[in-house]
Coordinates of all heavy atoms in Angstrom, one line a residue:
H81 N -29.1 -45.0 13.5 CA -29.7 -45.3 12.2 C -28.8 -45.7 11.1 O -29.1 -45.6 10.0 CB -30.6 -44.2 11.8 CG -31.5 -43.5 12.8 ND1 -32.5 -44.2 13.5 CD2 -31.3 -42.3 13.4 CE1 -32.9 -43.4 14.4 NE2 -32.3 -42.2 14.4
G82 N -27.6 -46.2 11.5 CA -26.6 -46.6 10.5 C -26.0 -45.4 9.7 O -25.3 -45.6 8.7
L83 N -26.1 -44.2 10.2 CA -25.6 -43.0 9.6 C -24.0 -42.9 9.6 O -23.4 -42.1 8.9 CB -26.2 -41.8 10.2 CG -27.6 -41.5 9.9 CD1 -28.1 -40.4 10.7 CD2 -27.8 -41.2 8.4
D84 N -23.4 -43.8 10.5 CA -22.0 -43.7 10.6 C -21.3 -44.1 9.3 O -20.1 -43.7 9.2 CB -21.5 -44.5 11.8 CG -21.9 -45.9 11.8 OD1 -22.8 -46.3 10.9 OD2 -21.4 -46.7 12.6
R85 N -21.8 -44.8 8.4 CA -21.2 -45.1 7.2 C -20.9 -43.9 6.3 O -20.1 -44.0 5.4 CB -22.0 -46.2 6.5 CG -23.3 -45.9 5.8 CD -23.8 -47.1 5.0 NE -25.0 -46.9 4.4 CZ -26.2 -47.2 4.8 NH1 -26.3 -47.8 6.1 NH2 -27.3 -46.9 4.2
V86 N -21.7 -42.9 6.5 CA -21.5 -41.6 5.8 C -20.1 -41.0 6.1 O -19.5 -40.4 5.2 CB -22.6 -40.6 6.1 CG1 -22.3 -39.2 5.4 CG2 -23.9 -41.0 5.7
L87 N -19.6 -41.3 7.3 CA -18.3 -40.8 7.7 C -17.1 -41.2 6.9 O -16.1 -40.5 6.8 CB -18.0 -41.1 9.2 CG -19.1 -40.7 10.2 CD1 -18.8 -41.2 11.6 CD2 -19.2 -39.1 10.2
F88 N -17.3 -42.4 6.2 CA -16.1 -43.1 5.6 C -16.3 -43.2 4.1 O -15.5 -43.8 3.4 CB -15.9 -44.4 6.2 CG -15.9 -44.4 7.8 CD1 -16.9 -44.7 8.6 CD2 -14.7 -43.8 8.4 CE1 -16.8 -44.7 9.9 CE2 -14.6 -43.7 9.7 CZ -15.7 -44.2 10.5
N89 N -17.3 -42.5 3.6 CA -17.6 -42.5 2.1 C -17.8 -41.1 1.7 O -18.9 -40.6 1.9 CB -18.8 -43.4 1.8 CG -18.5 -44.9 2.1 OD1 -17.9 -45.6 1.3 ND2 -19.0 -45.3 3.2
P90 N -16.9 -40.5 1.0 CA -17.0 -39.1 0.6 C -18.2 -38.9 -0.3 O -18.6 -39.8 -1.1 CB -15.7 -38.8 -0.2 CG -14.7 -39.8 0.4 CD -15.6 -41.1 0.6
G91 N -18.7 -37.6 -0.3 CA -19.8 -37.2 -1.2 C -21.1 -37.3 -0.5 O -21.3 -37.5 0.7
I92 N -22.2 -37.1 -1.3 CA -23.5 -37.1 -0.9 C -24.1 -38.4 -0.8 O -23.9 -39.3 -1.6 CB -24.4 -36.3 -1.9 CG1 -23.9 -34.8 -1.9 CG2 -25.9 -36.3 -1.5 CD1 -24.1 -34.0 -0.7
H93 N -24.9 -38.6 0.3 CA -25.6 -39.9 0.5 C -27.1 -39.6 0.6 O -27.6 -39.0 1.5 CB -25.2 -40.5 1.9 CG -23.7 -41.0 1.9 ND1 -23.4 -42.3 1.8 CD2 -22.6 -40.3 1.9 CE1 -22.1 -42.4 1.8 NE2 -21.6 -41.2 1.8
W94 N -27.8 -40.0 -0.4 CA -29.2 -39.7 -0.5 C -29.9 -40.5 0.6 O -29.6 -41.7 0.9 CB -29.8 -40.2 -1.8 CG -29.4 -39.5 -3.1 CD1 -28.4 -39.7 -3.9 CD2 -30.1 -38.3 -3.6 NE1 -28.3 -38.8 -4.9 CE2 -29.3 -37.9 -4.8 CE3 -31.2 -37.5 -3.2 CZ2 -29.7 -36.8 -5.6 CZ3 -31.5 -36.5 -4.0 CH2 -30.8 -36.1 -5.1
L95 N -30.9 -39.9 1.3 CA -31.7 -40.6 2.2 C -32.6 -41.6 1.4 O -32.7 -42.8 1.7 CB -32.6 -39.7 3.0 CG -33.6 -40.3 3.9 CD1 -33.0 -41.3 4.9 CD2 -34.5 -39.3 4.6
K96 N -33.1 -41.1 0.3 CA -33.9 -42.0 -0.6 C -33.4 -41.7 -2.0 O -33.4 -40.6 -2.5 CB -35.4 -41.6 -0.5 CG -36.4 -42.5 -1.4 CD -37.8 -42.3 -1.0 CE -38.4 -41.0 -1.3 NZ -39.8 -40.9 -1.1
D97 N -33.1 -42.8 -2.7 CA -32.6 -42.7 -4.0 C -33.6 -42.1 -5.0 O -34.8 -42.7 -5.1 CB -32.1 -44.1 -4.5 CG -31.7 -44.1 -6.0 OD1 -30.7 -43.4 -6.2 OD2 -32.3 -44.7 -6.9
P98 N -33.3 -41.0 -5.7 CA -34.4 -40.3 -6.5 C -34.8 -41.1 -7.7 O -35.9 -40.9 -8.2 CB -33.7 -39.0 -6.9 CG -32.2 -39.3 -6.9 CD -32.0 -40.4 -5.7
R99 N -34.0 -42.0 -8.2 CA -34.3 -42.8 -9.4 C -35.2 -44.0 -9.1 O -36.1 -44.3 -9.9 CB -33.0 -43.3 -10.1 CG -33.3 -44.0 -11.4 CD -32.0 -44.3 -12.1 NE -31.3 -45.4 -11.5 CZ -31.5 -46.7 -11.8 NH1 -32.4 -47.0 -12.7 NH2 -30.9 -47.6 -11.2
T100 N -35.0 -44.7 -7.9 CA -35.7 -45.9 -7.6 C -36.7 -45.7 -6.4 O -37.5 -46.6 -6.2 CB -34.8 -47.0 -7.3 OG1 -34.0 -46.7 -6.1 CG2 -33.8 -47.3 -8.5
D101 N -36.6 -44.6 -5.8 CA -37.4 -44.3 -4.5 C -37.1 -45.3 -3.4 O -37.9 -45.6 -2.5 CB -38.9 -44.3 -4.8 CG -39.4 -43.0 -5.5 OD1 -38.6 -42.0 -5.4 OD2 -40.4 -43.0 -6.1
T102 N -35.9 -45.9 -3.5 CA -35.4 -46.8 -2.4 C -34.7 -46.1 -1.4 O -33.8 -45.3 -1.6 CB -34.5 -47.9 -3.0 OG1 -35.2 -48.6 -4.1 CG2 -34.0 -48.9 -2.0
F103 N -35.1 -46.4 -0.1 CA -34.4 -45.7 1.0 C -33.0 -46.4 1.3 O -32.9 -47.6 1.3 CB -35.3 -45.9 2.3 CG -36.4 -44.8 2.3 CD1 -37.7 -45.2 1.9 CD2 -36.2 -43.5 2.8 CE1 -38.7 -44.3 1.9 CE2 -37.2 -42.6 2.9 CZ -38.5 -43.0 2.4
N104 N -32.1 -45.5 1.5 CA -30.7 -45.9 1.8 C -30.5 -46.0 3.3 O -29.5 -46.6 3.8 CB -29.7 -45.0 1.2 CG -29.6 -45.1 -0.4 OD1 -29.6 -46.2 -0.9 ND2 -29.7 -43.9 -1.0
F105 N -31.4 -45.3 4.0 CA -31.4 -45.2 5.5 C -32.8 -45.4 5.9 O -33.7 -45.5 5.2 CB -30.8 -44.0 6.0 CG -29.3 -43.7 5.5 CD1 -29.0 -43.0 4.5 CD2 -28.3 -44.3 6.3 CE1 -27.7 -42.7 4.0 CE2 -27.0 -44.1 5.9 CZ -26.7 -43.3 4.7
D106 N -32.9 -45.5 7.2 CA -34.3 -45.7 7.8 C -35.3 -44.6 7.4 O -35.0 -43.4 7.6 CB -34.2 -45.7 9.4 CG -35.3 -46.2 10.1 OD1 -36.5 -46.1 9.5 OD2 -35.2 -46.8 11.1
P107 N -36.4 -45.0 6.8 CA -37.5 -44.1 6.4 C -37.9 -43.1 7.5 O -38.4 -42.1 7.3 CB -38.6 -44.9 5.9 CG -37.9 -46.2 5.5 CD -36.8 -46.4 6.5
F108 N -37.7 -43.5 8.8 CA -38.0 -42.7 9.9 C -37.4 -41.4 9.9 O -37.9 -40.4 10.4 CB -37.5 -43.5 11.2 CG -37.5 -42.7 12.5 CD1 -38.7 -42.4 13.1 CD2 -36.3 -42.3 13.0 CE1 -38.7 -41.6 14.3 CE2 -36.2 -41.6 14.2 CZ -37.5 -41.3 14.8
L109 N -36.2 -41.2 9.2 CA -35.5 -40.0 9.1 C -36.1 -39.0 8.2 O -35.7 -37.8 8.2 CB -34.1 -40.3 8.7 CG -33.2 -41.1 9.7 CD1 -31.9 -41.5 9.1 CD2 -33.0 -40.3 11.0
E110 N -36.9 -39.4 7.3 CA -37.4 -38.5 6.2 C -38.3 -37.4 6.7 O -38.1 -36.2 6.2 CB -38.2 -39.3 5.2 CG -38.6 -38.5 4.0 CD -39.4 -39.3 2.9 OE1 -40.1 -40.2 3.3 OE2 -39.2 -39.0 1.7
T111 N -39.1 -37.6 7.6 CA -40.1 -36.5 8.0 C -39.5 -35.8 9.3 O -39.1 -36.4 10.3 CB -41.4 -37.1 8.5 OG1 -42.0 -37.8 7.4 CG2 -42.4 -36.0 8.9
V112 N -39.3 -34.5 9.1 CA -38.8 -33.6 10.1 C -39.9 -33.2 11.1 O -40.9 -32.8 10.7 CB -38.1 -32.3 9.5 CG1 -37.7 -31.4 10.6 CG2 -37.0 -32.7 8.6
T113 N -39.6 -33.5 12.4 CA -40.6 -33.1 13.4 C -40.9 -31.6 13.4 O -40.0 -30.8 13.4 CB -40.2 -33.6 14.8 OG1 -39.9 -35.0 14.8 CG2 -41.2 -33.3 15.9
K114 N -42.2 -31.3 13.4 CA -42.5 -29.9 13.5 C -42.1 -29.2 14.9 O -42.1 -30.0 15.9 CB -44.0 -29.6 13.4 CG -44.6 -30.1 12.0 CD -46.1 -29.9 11.9 CE -46.6 -30.2 10.6 NZ -48.1 -30.1 10.5
P115 N -41.6 -28.0 14.9 CA -41.1 -27.4 16.2 C -42.2 -27.5 17.3 O -41.7 -27.7 18.4 CB -40.8 -26.0 15.7 CG -40.4 -26.1 14.3 CD -41.4 -27.1 13.7
E116 N -43.4 -27.3 16.9 CA -44.4 -27.3 18.0 C -44.7 -28.7 18.6 O -45.4 -28.8 19.6 CB -45.7 -26.7 17.4 CG -46.3 -27.5 16.2 CD -45.9 -26.9 14.9 OE1 -44.8 -26.3 14.9 OE2 -46.7 -27.0 13.9
D117 N -44.1 -29.8 17.9 CA -44.4 -31.1 18.4 C -43.2 -31.6 19.2 O -43.3 -32.8 19.7 CB -44.6 -32.1 17.2 CG -46.0 -31.7 16.5 OD1 -46.9 -31.1 17.2 OD2 -46.1 -32.0 15.3
F118 N -42.1 -30.9 19.3 CA -40.9 -31.4 20.0 C -40.9 -30.6 21.4 O -41.1 -29.5 21.5 CB -39.7 -31.1 19.2 CG -38.5 -31.8 19.7 CD1 -38.1 -33.1 19.3 CD2 -37.6 -31.1 20.6 CE1 -37.0 -33.6 19.8 CE2 -36.5 -31.7 21.1 CZ -36.2 -33.0 20.6
N119 N -40.5 -31.5 22.4 CA -40.4 -30.9 23.7 C -38.9 -30.4 23.9 O -38.0 -31.0 24.4 CB -40.6 -32.0 24.7 CG -40.5 -31.5 26.2 OD1 -40.5 -30.3 26.4 ND2 -40.4 -32.5 27.1
F120 N -38.7 -29.1 23.6 CA -37.4 -28.5 23.7 C -36.9 -28.3 25.2 O -35.8 -28.2 25.4 CB -37.3 -27.2 22.9 CG -37.4 -27.4 21.4 CD1 -38.6 -27.2 20.7 CD2 -36.3 -27.8 20.7 CE1 -38.7 -27.4 19.4 CE2 -36.4 -27.9 19.3 CZ -37.6 -27.7 18.7
D121 N -37.9 -28.2 26.1 CA -37.6 -28.1 27.5 C -36.8 -29.3 28.0 O -36.2 -29.2 29.1 CB -38.9 -27.9 28.3 CG -39.5 -26.5 27.9 OD1 -38.8 -25.6 27.5 OD2 -40.7 -26.4 28.1
A122 N -36.9 -30.4 27.3 CA -36.2 -31.6 27.7 C -34.7 -31.6 27.5 O -34.0 -32.3 28.0 CB -36.8 -32.9 27.1
L123 N -34.3 -30.6 26.6 CA -32.9 -30.5 26.2 C -32.2 -29.6 27.2 O -32.7 -28.7 27.8 CB -32.8 -30.0 24.8 CG -33.4 -30.8 23.7 CD1 -33.3 -30.1 22.3 CD2 -32.8 -32.2 23.6
P124 N -30.9 -29.9 27.4 CA -30.1 -29.0 28.3 C -30.1 -27.5 27.7 O -29.9 -27.3 26.5 CB -28.7 -29.5 28.2 CG -28.9 -30.9 27.8 CD -30.1 -30.9 26.9
P125 N -30.4 -26.6 28.5 CA -30.4 -25.1 28.1 C -29.0 -24.7 27.7 O -28.0 -25.1 28.3 CB -30.9 -24.3 29.2 CG -30.5 -25.2 30.4 CD -30.6 -26.6 30.0
Y126 N -28.9 -23.8 26.7 CA -27.6 -23.2 26.3 C -27.2 -22.2 27.4 O -28.0 -21.4 27.9 CB -27.7 -22.5 24.9 CG -26.4 -21.8 24.5 CD1 -25.3 -22.6 24.1 CD2 -26.3 -20.5 24.6 CE1 -24.2 -22.0 23.7 CE2 -25.1 -19.8 24.3 CZ -24.1 -20.6 23.8 OH -22.9 -19.9 23.5
K127 N -25.9 -22.3 27.7 CA -25.4 -21.4 28.7 C -24.3 -20.4 28.0 O -23.3 -20.9 27.5 CB -24.7 -22.2 29.8 CG -24.3 -21.4 31.0 CD -23.7 -22.3 32.1 CE -24.8 -23.1 32.7 NZ -24.3 -23.9 33.9
I128 N -24.5 -19.1 28.1 CA -23.7 -18.2 27.5 C -22.3 -18.2 28.4 O -22.4 -18.6 29.5 CB -24.2 -16.8 27.4 CG1 -24.6 -16.2 28.8 CG2 -25.4 -16.8 26.5 CD1 -25.0 -14.8 28.8
A129 N -21.2 -17.8 27.8 CA -19.9 -17.9 28.4 C -20.0 -17.2 29.8 O -19.4 -17.6 30.8 CB -18.9 -17.3 27.6
S130 N -20.5 -15.9 29.8 CA -20.4 -15.2 31.1 C -21.2 -15.8 32.3 O -21.0 -15.5 33.4 CB -21.0 -13.8 30.8 OG -22.4 -13.8 30.4
A131 N -22.1 -16.7 31.9 CA -22.9 -17.4 32.9 C -22.4 -18.8 33.3 O -22.9 -19.5 34.1 CB -24.4 -17.5 32.5
D132 N -21.3 -19.2 32.7 CA -20.7 -20.5 32.8 C -19.6 -20.4 33.9 O -18.5 -20.0 33.7 CB -20.1 -21.0 31.5 CG -19.7 -22.4 31.5 OD1 -19.4 -22.9 32.6 OD2 -19.7 -23.0 30.5
E133 N -20.0 -20.9 35.1 CA -19.0 -20.9 36.2 C -17.8 -21.8 36.0 O -16.7 -21.5 36.5 CB -19.7 -21.3 37.5 CG -20.8 -20.2 37.9 CD -20.1 -18.8 38.2 OE1 -19.0 -18.8 38.6 OE2 -20.8 -17.8 38.0
I134 N -18.0 -22.9 35.3 CA -16.9 -23.8 35.0 C -15.9 -23.1 34.1 O -14.6 -23.1 34.4 CB -17.4 -25.0 34.2 CG1 -18.2 -25.9 35.2 CG2 -16.2 -25.8 33.8 CD1 -18.8 -27.1 34.5

Side-chain angles (χ1 to χ4, degrees):
H81 318 293
L83 290 170
D84 54 350
R85 69 175 183 265
V86 175
L87 304 174
F88 309 103
N89 294 280
I92 297 297
H93 294 252
W94 293 93
L95 172 58
K96 183 167 68 172
D97 178 60
R99 189 175 70 88
T100 63
D101 283 341
T102 300
F103 280 95
N104 295 312
F105 299 94
D106 195 327
F108 167 73
L109 296 170
E110 184 177 33
T111 302
V112 176
T113 302
K114 295 179 180 179
E116 59 266 27
D117 295 334
F118 191 87
N119 180 16
F120 290 99
D121 292 334
L123 300 176
Y126 175 75
K127 188 177 292 186
I128 61 175
S130 60
D132 191 333
E133 292 301 327
I134 292 178

